[in-house]
Amino acid sequence: MRYVFILNPVAGKDSRALKMESRLKQSAEKLGIDREIIISKSTENIISACKSRGETGENHRIYALGGDGTLNRVVNGSYGYGNIEIGVFPVGTGNDFIKATGISAENYMDIEKQINGKAAPIDLIKYNGEICVNICNMGFDANTAMDMPKFRKLPFVSNHLAYYLSLLYNFLKKWGRYMEVYADGELLYKGDTMMCAVGNGISCGGGFYVTPAAKIDDGFIDVSAVSPPEKKKVFKFVGYYKEGTQLEHEDAMQYIHYKKCKKVYVKAPKPFAMVNDGDGKYITEACYEILPSAIKFIFPQ
């Protein structure tokens, strides 16, 4: 088994991935493992590095040192290769995927626990020819995520503060965009949509539980389409989403259309923001499909 560590030098703040390089070398020497450290230069560089190792046919463990976006690129490059197991050291801006595993960030940052971790199958979501590991979100929360970098660049602004500033910025804008959301071929919701999330994982945006009932190994997608509530109710609802309890509150559920399914289709007459594991774009439609037990993920022990 060869252990490959892919460091994203621009993930998060303070170059946390790069600062781990010396620790990785020391731990690898101590444990006597065959290791390789790659400092990524681009998205394409991460994907191609994973593909090239998959094509050798030799067993590899590839660890992403970054956030959900870095993990997504490692998965997109490794998907389809049965000789690759995938892990993550959560040192990025958004580290939401690991919340769905029930294992603490501290354990994910423990190098020896990662090396000694057990790999098990998890699901992925395929859409428009791409792969999603955690969540594809659309609408208000996607707009918030896409506007977040402009606030993160400000002095003394943490990742969480940048998210809340972007949240406020989008709160002051007009809400809702017409969308149609289909689950397993049946109409789930159509109309003005505040946000829509298609989840394998449970949270995005640094800890907002948009699909709190999702499981990464149940063979289902969780989809949540939300119609715009009155603005005076939003801050209460944000609290629900931060706790992941919105499905338990009747005042929230009158706006939420939630279902587990195998396929989701979303379309709109005008382009809307869609964020896949932190990477955003504008689209007018997308078809999402669950890929059961698609990759082997390393759970630190």
Side-chain angles (χ1 to χ4, degrees), residues 268-287:
K270 296 181 180 179
F272 55 87
M274 194 277 297
V275 173
N276 168 23
D277 297 339
D279 290 331
K281 63 178 68 175
Y282 288 92
I283 60 175
T284 56
E285 65 177 355
C287 184

Side-chain angles (χ1 to χ4, degrees), residues 96-104 108 122 202 216 297-300:
D96 284 285
F97 174 75
I98 63 169
K99 295 178 175 66
T101 69
I103 298 173
S104 70
Y108 275 98
I122 66 167
I202 57 178
I216 57 175
F297 184 78
I298 302 162
F299 296 87

Side-chain angles (χ1 to χ4, degrees), residues 127-142:
Y127 79 96
N128 294 9
E130 298 185 39
I131 298 294
C132 168
V133 185
N134 188 40
I135 291 173
C136 288
N137 50 306
M138 295 152 271
F140 181 85
D141 49 339

Side-chain angles (χ1 to χ4, degrees), residues 140 171 173-176 189 192-195 225-238 240-241 250-257:
F140 181 85
F171 177 81
K173 295 163 68 176
K174 182 181 181 298
W175 289 7
Y189 174 75
D192 284 345
T193 307
M194 179 181 178
M195 59 182 178
V226 183
S227 58
E230 299 172 64
K231 287 196 174 184
K232 64 182 181 181
K233 297 181 178 180
V234 167
F235 290 102
K236 180 197 286 188
F237 289 177
V238 167
Y240 293 163
Y241 275 80
E250 291 185 8
D251 56 341
M253 285 304 295
Q254 63 181 302
Y255 302 100
I256 297 172
H257 309 266

Side-chain angles (χ1 to χ4, degrees), residues 14 83 106 158 174 220 287:
D14 302 323
N83 57 318
E106 289 75 19
S158 67
K174 182 181 181 298
F220 287 95
C287 184

Side-chain angles (χ1 to χ4, degrees), residues 259-276:
K259 188 174 181 179
K260 284 184 176 289
C261 56
K262 299 284 189 178
K263 293 183 179 181
V264 176
Y265 177 62
V266 180
K267 68 176 182 177
K270 296 181 180 179
F272 55 87
M274 194 277 297
V275 173
N276 168 23

